[in-house]
Amino acid sequence: MKRVILSGGGTGGHFYPAVSVAEALKRKWGDDVEVLFVGAEGKMEMEKVPSLGYNIVGLPIAGIQRRLTLKNLALPWKALRSVWEARKVIREFRADVVVGFGGYASAPVMWMAQRMGIPTLMQEQNSFAGKANKFLSKGAKRICVAYDRMEQFFPKDKIVLTGNPLRGSFAAKSGKSDAALEYYGFRADVPTLLIVGGSLGTRTLNEMMKAWILSLEGEAPVQVIWQTGKYYEQEMRAFLAEHPTKNIFQCAFIERMDYAYEVADLVISRSGACTISELQLVGKPTIFVPSPNVAEDHQTKNAMALVEKDAALMVRDNVAVRECMPLALQTLSDKALLESLRENILSLGIADSADRVVNEIEKYW
């Protein structure tokens, strides 16, 4: 029996790659491998992981609050407790390998495992590594990455290109099925734009849509799937009720993402690591609008890694409301550019990322 700890979470970008690797381990090894997740108390993984049938332990670790708050005074104590509890978890579980996916809980577990002489691996989702991962990479056996040129952050001889593990099946489609078109009430001969703001939503992309709709006369010149996010659902639904516009499908959450990708000719999206990996696999031309509210401005760096390879376009957040839709309409009318973007982004996708990470784990147990 091999025992593997997968540590990370706080956001879906850290949590879902870990789940994907757990599923790949179980597919290959079945009952011959035992997986334990370690997350952060109060974060999404503490609810999601048990619902998927895996065990998880929560550490009291927390991140620094950007605003001045008394909560920051408790951070050193929480960090010390987390390191101590991580040592107890690793010892009682008798881990053979520890894999870190980033997020609050990953650092204390990885650091303690390295002190205890247990092999550790890292999976870095972004094109720009954070301070914690750069520090922990010194003691890691392998660093699984999704972008080229990561030797600027990590020891070159430890890096292996695996891509970002994803849950679900993502693949490029050659056309638009009748089922997908019918689901959204769209026509095959009209260009379709997909606007994705994440599960909670993105204020910038919603304000962009509002400004564009106000410039129209009740009918959009292209078909649009507008995902507003749960946080903005009522506000944006009320806006569209006041300004009814044909050819727009509005929703808080996209239930059939496979259909959405299938009918979309162009995507406007934030540039989180997992989102980019999905878009690479489905081969969708994309305009990225990176979030400015993330550590190390890593979403801009993620997007630029594709822009530099002519695999995507990018509009900065502070000008997106007025500049993004004109660029989107211009791009939709340029068939040669769409095809070039499609081919280039598709060439960057790695479909077997989780299996590649598992192959690296097996070298050290």
Side-chain angles (χ1 to χ4, degrees), residues 57-75:
V57 175
L59 301 181
I61 193 72
I64 296 176
Q65 301 292 313
R66 296 191 178 188
R67 63 185 185 280
L68 206 58
T69 172
L70 292 176
K71 290 182 179 179
N72 285 336
L73 297 177
L75 292 183

Side-chain angles (χ1 to χ4, degrees), residues 145-274:
V145 302
Y147 292 89
D148 297 328
R149 300 191 300 224
M150 296 301 286
E151 60 271 12
Q152 61 184 308
F153 307 110
F154 304 128
K156 186 176 181 179
D157 60 339
K158 295 183 179 182
I159 295 173
V160 58
L161 182 66
T162 62
N164 284 324
L166 298 174
R167 296 196 73 219
S169 177
F170 299 93
K173 297 290 181 68
S174 58
K176 303 178 182 182
S177 69
D178 291 339
L181 290 167
E182 183 179 350
Y183 183 88
Y184 287 106
F186 287 168
R187 291 165 43 189
D189 59 340
V190 179
T192 301
L193 177 63
L194 169 62
I195 298 172
V196 187
S199 59
L200 294 180
T202 299
R203 169 62 70 182
T204 297
L205 298 186
N206 286 329
E207 290 299 320
M208 173 197 77
M209 277 298 293
K210 287 170 64 177
W212 183 61
I213 288 170
L214 289 174
S215 73
L216 303 175
E217 296 181 358
E219 182 172 358
V222 296
Q223 298 169 151
V224 181
I225 301 172
W226 176 18
Q227 187 254 326
T228 64
K230 185 177 180 180
Y231 186 82
Y232 301 98
E233 178 183 12
Q234 293 184 353
E235 177 187 348
M236 298 305 152
R237 191 182 297 277
F239 171 83
L240 198 58
E242 292 177 11
H243 306 278
T245 306
K246 294 180 180 179
N247 291 335
I248 293 179
F249 181 98
Q250 184 191 56
C251 59
F253 179 78
I254 298 176
E255 297 288 348
R256 291 300 303 263
M257 199 67 201
D258 55 339
Y259 281 174
Y261 280 143
E262 186 177 327
V263 301
D265 297 294
L266 179 67
V267 179
I268 297 177
S269 172
R270 290 302 202 194
S271 46
C274 289

Side-chain angles (χ1 to χ4, degrees), residues 47-64:
E47 179 181 346
K48 296 287 188 181
V49 168
S51 71
L52 295 171
Y54 297 99
N55 294 323
I56 186 168
V57 175
L59 301 181
I61 193 72
I64 296 176

Side-chain angles (χ1 to χ4, degrees), residues 193-194 264-268 279 282-287 311-313 331 337-343 345:
L193 177 63
L194 169 62
D265 297 294
L266 179 67
V267 179
I268 297 177
L279 291 164
V282 297
K284 286 299 167 182
T286 304
I287 300 174
L313 304 175
T331 304
L337 176 58
L338 284 175
E339 182 59 22
S340 175
L341 290 171
R342 187 194 71 80
E343 290 180 356
I345 196 170

Side-chain angles (χ1 to χ4, degrees), residues 8-20:
T11 66
H14 298 304
F15 161 69
Y16 288 116
V19 173
S20 180

Side-chain angles (χ1 to χ4, degrees), residues 7 38 59 61 78-79 81-84 86-87 90 103-114 136:
S7 180
V38 178
L59 301 181
I61 193 72
K78 286 186 175 182
R81 275 189 59 207
S82 295
V83 168
W84 179 255
R87 181 175 183 272
I90 294 168
Y104 301 138
S106 184
V109 178
M110 290 280 288
W111 187 83
M112 181 50 70
Q114 290 172 0
L136 292 166

